[in-house]
Amino acid sequence: METKIAKNYINGEWVDVAGKESQKVLNPSTGEIIGTVNLSTAAETDKAIAAAKAAFPEWRATPPVTRARYMFKLKTLLEERFNDLVKICSMEAGKTLEESRGEVRRGIEVVEVMSGIASLMKGQAMEDIAAGLDCMAYRQPIGVFAAVCPFNFPVMVPLWFLPPAIATGNTFVLKPSETVPFSMQLTYEILDELNLPPGVVNLVNGGKDAVNAILQSPDVNGVSFVGSTPVAKYIYSESAKYGKRVQSLGGAKNFMLVMPDANLAGTANALIGSCFGCAGQRCLAGSNVVAVGDVHDKLRDVLLEKAKALKVGIATDPSSQMGALISKKAYDRVNHYIELGIKEGAKLILDGRGIKVPGGENGFFIGPTIFDDVTPDMTIAKEEIFGPVFNILRAEDFEQAMSWIDKCPFANAGTIFTASGKWAREFGYRLPATMCGINIGIAAPMSFFSFGGARNSFFGDLKAHGSESIDFYTDRKVISARWF
Ligand code: NAD
């Protein structure tokens, strides 16, 4: 990709960002500059919000079947550009082509579900709630919604929000991560081909100033956020302060509990994918692997063998099985946690530091890293590392493992590996996290279910995509009618 400058898309037009602050966009695999993103000011963000507000009355009155047809067309256009999206995503996010294919596919699936909006958005009605009196509950769109997105899924996370927001008849402003702006440049080129009425979808590149403009604008009715927990909390409280609907998804520390009766080969494959996929930069990534009872030694050996065999490489090389960290800052943070783990007494049985990747000498690579003999009080077992590092903890039994999980302030996802229905049921019943896997490495709800955690991993009540997103993006209007 030649060096490019990210633009805003406002009211159906591409516009240069006038903001004076700017940031280079790097290819994490090579450290090369692939482009620049200028950070929009509050005034520029307000223009996008104004365009969305002006587009709302006409868009809301567009029949749901017509809005559904835009979704069908969007799905077709996204399929046509599938490989281009995959390539840009891998280039700017450092994830392998296989991982990018997975995320683009998950994003398209949200569009597919929202193609059924005419059925999904139907309300309720009843005759004769009293003599001669009927009652109807319509779902109505609310106005302007915005989404603020993280770096780690540059295509998928924005597509968690844009399709349901506009399919339900709202208009939309997207603020992608300034670290990975180019996946959304292409997505909005595709949206431009849809010929939506101007202002229905808008794109604002930027950082804090753009986000604060969204939060403080009286013309934004609701905000979706995905990112780190401190920012998620801020978005939640600011949105509430300014009277907005909000769904705010934060960070994670996911437990993977392995019972003595687990199928070892299947479990090890799932754990390797979970902990090292996307170089550990997934909110559903396994982080604390709890070996229960006597499974520890066998599990450790097989994990070690499989982790050593992973090919770490340049994201766009089809043979790479694990890519790079997003930035030098992320690289430094993960190194810091590895040093901390050693200091706190954990046993580093696989050290990914200093890995050599041909062609990636200036990239941000850390290879698969495994700590053994980790205890739940260690910092590496408590904080989100967000890198290719996982901890093995030893628990005497299921109850001890659950007591550790209970104490964790994060509750995004958790998985049990077992052959026992009893333990699987018990785990599902008691897990504080709301995304639960049974013999699944990444327990990601698909687009027809809703996505989101609990505790410090989620602030709000209605979660992303699935039927909850229809609730989030609509209000119920209950009309009681008598005709004289
Ligand atoms: P981040 O919180 O740094 O940034 C996310 C977004 O918030 C970006 O668009 C950024 O511009 C904006 N932002 C950052 N600081 C801000 C501030 N002070 N004020 C206003 N806006 C601000 O997160 P990230 O590093 O891009 O993403 C990684 C994090 O996202 C991890 O913690 C990961 O667990 C989390 N995540 C969670 C989920 C989930 O479903 N719960 C999914 C993906 C990622």
Side-chain angles (χ1 to χ4, degrees):
M1 195 204 302
E2 75 278 16
T3 301
K4 307 209 280 186
I5 300 177
K7 291 187 170 198
N8 287 348
Y9 184 82
I10 297 177
N11 207 28
E13 305 279 345
W14 287 102
V15 286
D16 291 328
V17 181
K20 294 281 172 278
E21 265 186 86
S22 76
Q23 204 169 293
K24 296 290 173 219
V25 181
L26 303 183
N27 176 339
S29 299
T30 61
E32 282 162 0
I33 296 171
I34 54 178
T36 303
V37 59
N38 297 322
L39 307 183
S40 299
T41 59
E44 288 176 289
T45 310
D46 286 342
K47 279 188 193 157
I49 296 168
K53 188 182 179 193
F56 177 62
E58 184 195 324
W59 186 241
R60 133 176 214 181
T62 304
V65 283
T66 307
R67 299 200 298 258
R69 285 182 195 125
Y70 281 105
M71 292 292 125
F72 284 113
K73 191 170 166 203
L74 178 57
K75 142 97 178 149
T76 306
L77 294 172
L78 288 167
E79 296 288 0
E80 281 169 15
R81 306 296 295 276
F82 188 89
N83 289 330
D84 298 333
L85 283 164
V86 165
K87 205 169 145 199
I88 290 189
C89 179
S90 282
M91 196 173 283
E92 69 178 356
K95 54 174 73 178
T96 66
L97 292 171
E98 193 54 34
E99 289 161 354
S100 293
R101 278 193 277 272
E103 87 153 274
V104 176
R105 180 56 55 211
R106 296 282 93 81
I108 292 176
E109 283 164 1
V110 182
V111 179
E112 289 169 356
V113 170
M114 293 306 150
S115 303
I117 196 64
S119 305
L120 292 168
M121 229 185 126
K122 276 194 308 197
Q124 296 175 320
M126 193 160 86
E127 285 181 334
D128 292 324
I129 56 162
L133 211 152
D134 303 330
C135 193
M136 290 141 278
Y138 293 109
R139 283 180 181 278
Q140 295 187 328
I142 297 168
V144 178
F145 278 83
V148 177
C149 295
F151 79 81
N152 65 329
F153 284 95
V155 178
M156 180 187 78
V157 170
L159 289 179
W160 282 355
F161 305 115
L162 185 149
I166 68 167
T168 46
N170 300 285
T171 53
F172 189 71
V173 176
L174 176 70
K175 207 296 285 172
S177 166
E178 61 275 43
T179 316
V180 290
F182 292 116
S183 296
M184 278 301 114
Q185 292 286 294
L186 178 54
T187 304
Y188 269 73
E189 277 172 31
I190 294 167
L191 284 162
D192 189 53
E193 286 177 47
L194 263 188
N195 289 321
L196 285 162
V200 172
V201 292
N202 303 276
L203 173 69
V204 174
N205 290 286
K208 272 192 238 174
D209 290 347
V211 175
N212 286 329
I214 287 169
L215 295 173
Q216 291 164 16
S217 169
D219 294 328
V220 174
N221 300 86
V223 176
S224 304
F225 173 83
V226 182
S228 58
T229 290
V231 186
K233 270 188 189 166
Y234 171 75
I235 301 278
Y236 181 64
S237 59
E238 285 293 288
S239 297
K241 184 166 135 194
Y242 289 97
K244 300 184 194 320
R245 285 193 173 199
V246 57
Q247 48 182 193
S248 195
L249 287 75
K253 190 77 188 173
N254 303 314
F255 282 77
M256 306 270 123
L257 201 156
V258 185
M259 296 299 287
D261 63 357
N263 173 311
L264 212 57
T267 300
N269 284 336
L271 284 176
I272 292 291
S274 176
C275 301
F276 297 132
C278 298
Q281 300 167 110
R282 275 198 290 223
C283 68
L284 296 179
S287 180
N288 285 335
V289 176
V290 184
V292 176
D294 63 4
V295 77
H296 173 271
D297 291 5
K298 296 179 280 188
L299 181 69
R300 176 202 57 207
D301 293 348
V302 64
L303 287 174
L304 200 52
E305 184 193 318
K306 285 183 184 293
K308 280 182 184 166
L310 280 178
K311 186 185 170 210
V312 180
I314 303 285
T316 47
D317 174 349
S319 70
S320 298
Q321 293 172 310
M322 192 182 115
L325 289 160
I326 187 67
S327 62
K328 175 72 168 57
K329 195 171 153 205
Y331 173 89
D332 289 343
R333 188 193 61 240
V334 175
N335 270 308
H336 162 77
Y337 275 113
I338 296 174
E339 281 158 27
L340 202 63
I342 298 168
K343 256 193 224 146
E344 288 184 324
K347 194 155 131 203
L348 186 61
I349 58 170
L350 184 63
D351 186 355
R353 292 173 300 174
I355 190 170
K356 300 273 177 282
V357 173
E361 291 73 14
N362 297 318
F364 312 120
F365 288 99
I366 293 182
T369 298
I370 304 180
F371 276 112
D372 195 9
D373 291 341
V374 175
T375 55
D377 53 314
M378 291 179 183
T379 312
I380 55 167
K382 292 196 287 200
E383 295 183 4
E384 182 178 43
I385 300 175
F386 221 53
V389 178
F390 78 77
N391 306 317
I392 305 179
L393 295 83
R394 300 171 192 238
E396 277 168 26
D397 54 21
F398 179 84
E399 286 305 329
Q400 188 178 35
M402 287 312 290
S403 73
W404 297 341
I405 295 174
D406 268 340
K407 288 196 190 101
C408 181
F410 295 103
N412 211 38
T415 281
I416 187 167
F417 292 92
T418 183
S420 151
K422 172 189 154 46
W423 290 125
R425 190 208 179 252
E426 191 73 11
F427 186 77
Y429 193 79
R430 287 167 54 182
L431 183 74
T434 42
M435 294 184 280
C436 175
I438 294 170
N439 300 314
I440 301 280
I442 293 289
M446 286 182 72
S447 51
F448 27 87
F449 285 96
S450 293
F451 193 111
R455 296 187 178 170
N456 279 349
S457 299
F458 182 78
F459 305 93
D461 50 7
L462 297 170
K463 295 177 179 172
H465 63 61
S467 60
E468 286 186 44
S469 73
I470 307 295
D471 289 335
F472 183 72
Y473 289 117
T474 58
D475 214 343
R476 309 279 177 109
K477 170 81 55 74
V478 182
I479 298 181
S480 305
R482 166 179 286 139
W483 294 92
F484 298 111

